[in-house]
Amino acid sequence: MKALARLDDMLGHLEARHRRRVVAPRQGVDFASNDYLGLTGSAFLKEAALRVLARDVPLGAGGSRLLRGNHPEHEALEAEAAAFFGAQAALFMGGGFQANQAIFSTLPAAGDLVAYDALVHASAHEGFRLGRADLRSFAHNDVEAARQTIADWRASGGAGQVWIAVESVYSMEGDLAPLAAFDRLAQAEEAVLVVDEAHATGVFGPSGRGLAHGLQAEVLSLHTCGKGLGVSGGLVCGAKVFIDSLVSRARPFIFATAPAPFTAALLREVLAHLAATPALVAQAQARIAFAHDQARLHRIDRAGLHSQIIPVILGGDAQVMAWADRLRGQGFDLRGIRPPTVARGTARLRISVTGNVTPAEIAALFETLAAYQKEAA
Ligand SMILES: Cc1ncc(COP(=O)(O)O)c(C=O)c1O
């Protein structure tokens, strides 16, 4: 059959260029996940799950939220998340990917502008593609370039609402957006500032509330629940009219089975745990600071040290995959990140300082990388 042969051919081409993606088993100490607080396998989460089960919360939703899938646990989570993240309202969705797709395909209208950072996540692009607004990217983390992009669009006749899309912590660079400056820009332009907090939630801000907490502009934030929060889902937080519009118009919300009420109930436990246990964030920050010290000590800091995500940019796809394989063989679970996920020539190891590693393991990883670097020099 033609389709089978064509796809097989395509996979062969990817393989030849070291670009084929395959799922691989977990192997070694976790420097690869987004489990930044170490919650996924924690005693806390297991006990929380037992508490939720004891309350007889359903394990599946059974339908879309707009049909019979809605459950008081969803609504309670949304009310608590809105309060926790400092927003008027919140909407719980199955994942961050779905949430970004919903936000950008639904809220910006024809005649609006979405000005987006060149490095925003694939899921935002998925929403852009499906939406009807004008799209312009600006150079990564460059507020002045964003201002100019908006000015150029206005000069060419653009008159609608401006939306500025950024991430607070970038998933593959690990650097932070200059949010205070974007906040001022959004206020000056009467723009909506859409902040994807996927890699900040649970790690940055007071009790892990993220970095958009307390901004003054009209902010719509996305807190993914499968990374720092250790479960799964996506919480969109912002003005009630944004949330109500998503409920009425967002296809990924309307035409999808709701996340399990069980998941919503677990997340309520996680948010309460974060609020009650400031040590969780303090410990994550201490772990990150220690990793930065080790990276500096061993000169693995060329791509910058900003967060729990530390990229080691090697450039060549084959080299990255070889180093990742070798590291896994030595007990460190790391994955190579290649184009098109990152720009050509910037293939990298993405070190993630998760909550599942000890200081000794962090030190050992950087020592090992320093040895590889010496060998390659
Ligand atoms: C910046 C960013 N936004 C959104 C997502 C998607 O979130 P989820 O994994 O919950 O679908 C990711 C996850 O890879 C991400 O890195």
Side-chain angles (χ1 to χ4, degrees):
M1 196 197 269
K2 269 191 195 141
L4 297 180
R6 192 181 61 229
L7 292 172
D8 201 42
D9 219 38
M10 181 269 292
L11 290 173
H13 276 105
L14 288 175
E15 182 89 49
R17 293 160 57 218
H18 306 282
R19 295 269 172 92
R20 182 165 176 167
R21 295 170 165 123
V22 290
V23 292
R26 294 176 171 194
Q27 191 184 348
V29 180
D30 177 14
F31 285 101
S33 80
N34 300 313
D35 186 11
Y36 301 131
L37 301 180
L39 286 177
T40 59
S42 64
F44 163 77
L45 210 54
K46 283 178 200 155
E47 284 156 19
L50 292 174
R51 281 194 294 275
V52 172
L53 283 175
R55 290 201 283 114
D56 236 358
V57 175
L59 296 175
S64 159
R65 289 284 296 282
L66 294 179
L67 299 174
R68 203 183 149 81
N70 190 38
H71 190 277
E73 290 296 332
H74 296 127
E75 295 185 36
L77 169 64
E78 287 166 346
E80 287 160 17
F84 183 80
F85 293 114
Q88 201 178 24
L91 185 68
F92 182 45
M93 297 187 58
F97 191 100
Q98 232 176 309
N100 259 336
Q101 193 184 41
I103 291 168
F104 291 108
S105 62
T106 307
L107 300 180
D112 287 0
L113 169 69
V114 178
Y116 63 94
D117 188 286
L119 295 187
V120 292
H121 192 255
S123 52
H125 284 272
E126 208 62 21
F128 300 162
R129 278 195 322 121
L130 297 168
R132 296 168 60 205
D134 295 340
L135 300 169
R136 301 215 177 160
S137 75
F138 55 84
H140 177 52
N141 272 349
D142 188 337
V143 182
E144 208 32 59
R147 187 191 314 279
Q148 195 57 52
T149 300
I150 297 167
D152 291 347
W153 177 75
R154 291 219 162 102
S156 69
Q161 173 70 51
V162 173
W163 306 72
I164 301 172
V166 298
E167 287 171 25
S168 47
V169 176
Y170 281 84
S171 57
M172 294 298 151
E173 311 301 311
D175 57 354
L176 276 54
L179 276 185
F182 276 119
D183 189 33
R184 287 192 292 276
L185 175 65
Q187 287 176 75
E189 299 286 349
E190 294 192 357
V192 180
L193 182 58
V194 186
V195 185
D196 184 338
E197 297 256 46
H199 299 277
T201 308
V203 183
F204 288 95
S207 293
R209 287 170 166 85
L211 291 161
H213 193 76
L215 297 184
Q216 298 302 308
E218 188 64 59
V219 170
L220 184 64
S221 62
L222 167 60
H223 298 276
T224 63
C225 310
K227 303 183 195 304
L229 303 187
V231 187
S232 68
L235 283 158
V236 183
C237 299
K240 188 169 182 306
V241 68
F242 288 147
I243 302 308
D244 290 347
S245 303
L246 291 172
V247 169
S248 274
R249 302 291 296 278
R251 295 166 67 87
F253 176 78
I254 299 166
F255 298 106
T257 299
F262 177 77
T263 306
L266 264 189
L267 284 164
R268 294 180 63 199
E269 294 260 1
V270 171
L271 293 185
H273 186 47
L274 271 175
T277 324
L280 279 175
V281 177
Q283 283 161 5
Q285 287 298 335
R287 212 163 31 241
I288 296 166
F290 179 75
H292 289 182
D293 286 346
Q294 291 298 303
R296 255 180 239 110
L297 179 69
H298 293 290
R299 303 188 188 233
I300 317 279
D301 56 350
R302 259 174 302 167
L305 299 169
H306 308 281
S307 71
Q308 74 278 19
I309 300 163
I310 304 175
V312 182
I313 299 177
L314 300 174
D317 301 359
Q319 188 190 0
V320 163
M321 298 321 277
W323 280 34
D325 280 350
R326 200 169 154 199
L327 283 164
R328 283 199 300 279
Q330 291 185 262
F332 305 103
D333 198 352
L334 268 103
R335 310 298 167 111
I337 311 288
R338 296 158 288 176
T341 302
V342 294
R344 276 172 80 114
T346 72
R348 65 198 64 187
L349 295 171
R350 175 184 183 271
I351 300 174
S352 173
V353 182
T354 70
N356 304 316
V357 298
T358 64
E361 288 161 342
I362 294 172
L365 170 68
F366 284 104
E367 230 169 80
T368 306
L369 281 170
Y372 287 14
Q373 232 168 229
K374 215 183 220 171
E375 250 177 60

